[in-house]
Each structure stands twice: as C-alpha cells, then as structure tokens.
Amino acid sequence: TDGGNDAVWAPNGLTIVFDRRTAGDDALYEIPFFGGRRKLIKQDAISADFSPDGKYLVFQQPSDGSLRIMPLIGKGKDTIIANFGEHPVWSPDGNWIAFQMDGDIWKVKINASGRPMGDPIQITSSPFWDGMPTWTADSQSIIYHTGLERDYDLWKVSADSGMPVWLTGAPEFGDYDPSVSK
C-alpha cells in the first residue's frame, strides 16, 4: 500500500521482487505472489532482474551507480558486472545481461556462476536516448525505447548489434518501457 517500483517475477512464479525508489527507499524487497508483507532482501539496490534459473539477481547499486549480481542461494559476495549502468535485464538463455548506460544499450556476457566474461559491449549508438532494454524470448534481439524528451518509440536491434528496426510509436508520449513475455 505504500509503493513499489520495477517489479519482476521470480522464474518459479512464487515471488515478486521490487524496489521502492519512488517512495524514497533504495532497497529490494520480495513478496509472495498471493500477497502478504514485504521482506527486505537487499539495501542500496534497485531495478532488479532474476537469472533464468532463479539463482541470482542483477541490480543497480544507487550509491555508486554500479551493476551487480548477488547470489540468492547460499552465501557469496556481490559481483560487479559494470561500473555504471541502469535497468539491467537478463537474457532468457542466461548468457547475457543488457542494460542502459549513457543513452545507449550495452550487454555483458555472464557465465553459469553469475560472473562477467569480459567487458561490456555497446549495442546501440544513436543520437537519441536509448533505454529500458528487454530481450526477445529467443535471446537474439533486444527491444528498447529511444527518443528525446517525451517522444519515445520502440525499436528492435540484433543482440549482435546492427541496424535497429522501428517497431511502434505515437507522437508525443509515444511508446516506452517495453517488456516481452518469456
């Protein structure tokens, strides 16, 4: 009843993880899908996404802007995957995490242990603001919004980069914050 933001379903469908940044609370919480009381799972964390196997969460740490992965099973330290970025999202095949940084879409390869396999790779480089990436179910493409001020449209680009393809949009507010069903 007192706010929630950037909600994401656990792969098993039993819980939802969200932050409360819009309420001034930079922390991640989980709640059972049927409702109940929220449970704190991580301070200084927003904008989370589950790994497809449900073993890890990727999130942004707002105090320094880094993107990190935390294990959900057992104990372990957070792993930094990018020194700066926003809105990370795991690919359905579990091999990549896409995110926005400096107005473009980037990705970083991740191994089965939730560790980065190299430096982030830039996918887009438009003169507009590209953001809020989401993966297609086959992990071959990334859909995102791009635009200036209030005029956003949805675009699709191959996960290997290449020429983006316009999908949809309307004048003024247009379309933004896409999400693809798994």
Side-chain angles (χ1 to χ4, degrees), residues 58 69 81 88-90 95-99 106-108 110 135:
V58 62
I69 294 175
I81 62 164
V89 61
W90 223 295
N95 294 324
W96 296 92
I97 294 173
F99 58 96
W106 295 69
K107 70 177 184 177
V108 63
I110 303 297
W135 292 88

Side-chain angles (χ1 to χ4, degrees), residues 23-165:
D25 181 3
D26 288 348
L28 293 176
Y29 297 89
E30 72 177 351
I31 191 167
F33 81 95
F34 52 80
R37 299 191 61 83
R38 68 177 182 255
K39 175 183 157 193
L40 176 69
I41 58 173
K42 182 77 174 171
Q43 293 280 0
D44 194 18
I46 60 170
S47 192
D49 192 35
F50 282 93
S51 62
D53 62 10
K55 293 180 180 178
Y56 302 95
L57 272 179
V58 62
F59 63 93
Q60 179 188 1
Q61 183 169 295
S63 63
D64 66 6
S66 65
L67 296 181
R68 297 169 179 253
I69 294 175
M70 67 179 268
L72 294 173
I73 299 171
K75 300 206 186 251
K77 294 172 63 174
D78 296 346
T79 301
I80 296 175
I81 62 164
N83 290 328
F84 183 78
E86 299 174 287
H87 304 291
V89 61
W90 223 295
S91 64
D93 65 10
N95 294 324
W96 296 92
I97 294 173
F99 58 96
Q100 70 184 55
M101 180 174 66
D102 297 331
D104 290 306
I105 304 300
W106 295 69
K107 70 177 184 177
V108 63
K109 186 147 181 75
I110 303 297
N111 70 15
S113 299
R115 303 255 182 238
M117 304 289 294
D119 293 328
I121 300 166
Q122 188 171 354
I123 301 298
T124 66
S125 60
S126 83
F128 303 107
W129 189 265
D130 302 338
M132 299 302 290
T134 188
W135 292 88
T136 55
D138 62 6
S139 299
Q140 298 301 304
S141 299
I142 299 170
I143 298 173
Y144 60 97
H145 72 227
T146 191
L148 291 171
E149 295 182 19
R150 300 182 334 183
D151 187 16
Y152 287 100
D153 293 342
L154 299 185
W155 289 74
K156 178 179 174 180
V157 66
S158 167
D160 294 327
S161 196
M163 185 62 79
V165 176

